[in-house]
Amino acid sequence: MVGNMISVVGNIISYGKLKLDWLPDGRVEYLVKRGEHIAPGDKIFVTRYREIKESYYLPRLLKIRKSDANKYVLRLPGEHVQSGEVLAQKDTAFGLGILVVDARGSGIVSLDRTNDGFVDVVGEEYITEVVSSMRAEILDVSATKGISLVTNAIGVPYSANGKLGETGDPASSFLLGELVFVRDGASVYSQADLVDDYSNQIVYVGSFVYPELLQALYEKRAKAVIVGSTDFETVQNAKLPVIVLDGFGHTQINRSKVDYLRQHTHYIVAVRKKVSLMHGRTIYLLSPGKPLMDMATMQYPQFMKENSISRPYYLSQIDPGTRVRSIDGENYGLMGVVEEVVQDTPYIRVRTDSGSEVLLHTGGVVVLQ
């Protein structure tokens, strides 16, 4: 973080300069150079990828472990297959039969996701040109770190996430992508509402989401999804990062917050992968505004006014002795007992079942009965 960052505790809103690295997926050609200043509409990079025509999840089809998927694949990456040709197979117990996975259509075999259990059949190569929605200074461009830049950002708070720390470059503190909505984001959606591809995009999927839609978005290359609320198990079992705005279960959705995100559709957003003691859990909208901010004229969004600093932002039912489970970041799934509620902060000190001691944000835990 560089420059001044104004933070308002509560449902945290921050506005200021943000420094980050952006390493896109796929084969990338960068169109910017160190020292350049970019503005909305400027071309940043070009990516090349192949559209997934068919996906086959071998653990389900062959009844194997995900880690063993490579052992049963009979095709080489880049090999062309026709409909009906065998992609993978496994002998059943005692050689009494064979489980076979046949291609449902023609295309090129991709094994990029076999570590996740998938064999893909892909089509022709697509070229995507990524255009800036922000003003930024390019600090550096490299093959290993991607684009290092500094820009203005406004932070939108969220409640919890799953698998966010496991995605992208481990050295990067942020996950970046283009913010898009499934339709207008005001309802609950199915696979029929999706478009063909979500490469390099972070998708707002609606007020609630079911596992089938998350699976479809994973297969369509979404980088992450944002949802109003969902079930804990859905987040836990998803194959891609899930960012939950307002909590678990069928909770009341903060419509003003969703409207504010909708106003920034097709903006580049950066999601902080780990909980920050200063800024909590934050989705940063990378601003197209002036390179130097005029804080005196800044207008806070409506959802920030509705969740003012006078409203408690910690969970009142969490007291010392409460048993909790973490649903966020690098401590995902951790369980333990609260030893201390840190005064005037949204943090609790937890003694875990393994005997270690961690500091957790109350928005990222659930109380165990």
Side-chain angles (χ1 to χ4, degrees), residues 53-109:
K53 297 173 68 175
E54 304 282 353
S55 285
Y56 306 87
Y57 188 53
L58 300 189
R60 177 173 53 82
L61 296 171
L62 297 180
K63 297 177 174 57
I64 60 174
R65 293 180 299 181
K66 183 172 67 175
S67 58
D68 290 337
N70 275 305
K71 299 177 183 179
Y72 300 97
V73 177
L74 301 183
R75 299 291 176 175
L76 297 173
E79 186 176 354
H80 193 277
V81 293
Q82 298 290 339
S83 176
E85 293 185 347
V86 178
L87 298 173
Q89 73 176 38
K90 173 198 167 188
D91 294 335
T92 57
F94 308 111
L96 298 178
I98 300 176
L99 293 176
V100 177
V101 178
D102 293 331
R104 295 188 293 267
S106 62
I108 297 168
V109 175

Side-chain angles (χ1 to χ4, degrees), residues 97-155:
I98 300 176
L99 293 176
V100 177
V101 178
D102 293 331
R104 295 188 293 267
S106 62
I108 297 168
V109 175
S110 171
L111 304 182
D112 291 346
R113 300 196 298 164
T114 49
N115 288 339
D116 291 325
F118 286 90
V119 172
D120 300 316
V121 175
V122 300
E124 60 183 292
E125 185 177 65
Y126 283 81
I127 299 176
T128 300
E129 191 174 70
V130 176
V131 175
S132 176
S133 63
M134 60 182 161
R135 295 184 182 273
E137 178 184 355
I138 306 300
L139 303 179
D140 199 11
V141 179
S142 74
T144 55
K145 289 188 175 181
I147 301 172
S148 296
L149 57 87
V150 61
T151 184
N152 294 339
I154 186 165

Side-chain angles (χ1 to χ4, degrees), residues 73-366:
V73 177
L74 301 183
R75 299 291 176 175
L76 297 173
E79 186 176 354
H80 193 277
V81 293
Q82 298 290 339
S83 176
E85 293 185 347
V86 178
L87 298 173
Q89 73 176 38
K90 173 198 167 188
D91 294 335
T92 57
F94 308 111
L96 298 178
I98 300 176
L99 293 176
V100 177
V101 178
D102 293 331
R104 295 188 293 267
S106 62
I108 297 168
V109 175
S110 171
L111 304 182
D112 291 346
R113 300 196 298 164
T114 49
N115 288 339
D116 291 325
F118 286 90
V119 172
D120 300 316
V121 175
V122 300
E124 60 183 292
E125 185 177 65
Y126 283 81
I127 299 176
T128 300
E129 191 174 70
V130 176
V131 175
S132 176
S133 63
M134 60 182 161
R135 295 184 182 273
E137 178 184 355
I138 306 300
L139 303 179
D140 199 11
V141 179
S142 74
T144 55
K145 289 188 175 181
I147 301 172
S148 296
L149 57 87
V150 61
T151 184
N152 294 339
I154 186 165
V156 176
Y158 66 88
S159 174
N161 73 69
K163 294 184 173 61
L164 189 57
E166 302 172 15
T167 188
D169 181 4
S172 174
S173 299
F174 296 91
L175 177 69
L176 278 85
E178 176 190 7
L179 176 64
V180 297
F181 272 58
V182 176
R183 296 193 180 273
D184 65 358
S187 185
V188 179
Y189 299 102
S190 70
Q191 296 181 45
D193 297 299
L194 302 180
V195 299
D196 289 338
D197 187 76
Y198 289 93
S199 298
N200 285 308
Q201 292 180 331
I202 295 174
V203 187
Y204 183 85
V205 295
S207 56
F208 196 86
V209 69
Y210 291 99
E212 294 78 11
L213 191 67
L214 294 180
Q215 177 66 30
L217 284 163
Y218 176 77
E219 294 175 5
K220 292 175 180 290
R221 298 178 184 267
K223 298 198 76 168
V225 302
I226 303 172
V227 65
S229 67
T230 190
D231 296 324
F232 173 77
E233 291 76 13
T234 298
V235 175
Q236 188 177 38
N237 297 327
K239 293 185 174 66
L240 78 174
V242 179
I243 299 150
V244 184
L245 286 184
D246 292 310
F248 291 95
H250 289 272
T251 62
Q252 184 175 353
I253 305 302
N254 187 325
R255 297 296 178 188
S256 294
K257 187 187 295 186
V258 175
D259 289 344
Y260 190 72
L261 289 175
R262 188 183 294 108
Q263 292 168 23
H264 295 82
T265 301
H266 300 301
Y267 276 45
I268 297 166
V269 298
V271 185
R272 189 181 294 278
K273 290 184 181 180
K274 296 182 179 180
V275 177
S276 164
L277 289 174
M278 180 178 295
H279 303 296
R281 297 169 184 77
T282 312
I283 304 167
Y284 290 99
L285 304 168
L286 306 187
S287 173
K290 298 178 181 179
L292 297 176
M293 294 167 299
D294 182 0
M295 301 305 298
T297 61
M298 178 187 168
Q299 296 294 312
Y300 286 109
Q302 182 64 31
F303 75 82
M304 187 273 172
K305 298 174 184 176
E306 294 174 355
N307 294 275
S308 66
I309 60 174
S310 62
R311 176 178 293 185
Y313 55 87
Y314 49 87
L315 303 179
S316 59
Q317 73 267 28
I318 296 183
D319 298 307
T322 302
R323 185 163 173 76
V324 296
R325 174 172 57 185
S326 173
I327 53 174
D328 191 50
E330 62 184 0
N331 294 311
Y332 195 86
L334 176 150
M335 291 186 286
V337 175
V338 176
E339 293 204 336
E340 178 189 10
V341 178
V342 183
Q343 188 175 4
D344 298 325
T345 80
Y347 290 92
I348 52 177
R349 186 166 54 84
V350 175
R351 177 70 61 180
T352 71
D353 290 351
S354 63
S356 61
E357 190 176 277
V358 295
L359 193 67
L360 299 177
H361 193 288
T362 51
V365 299
V366 291

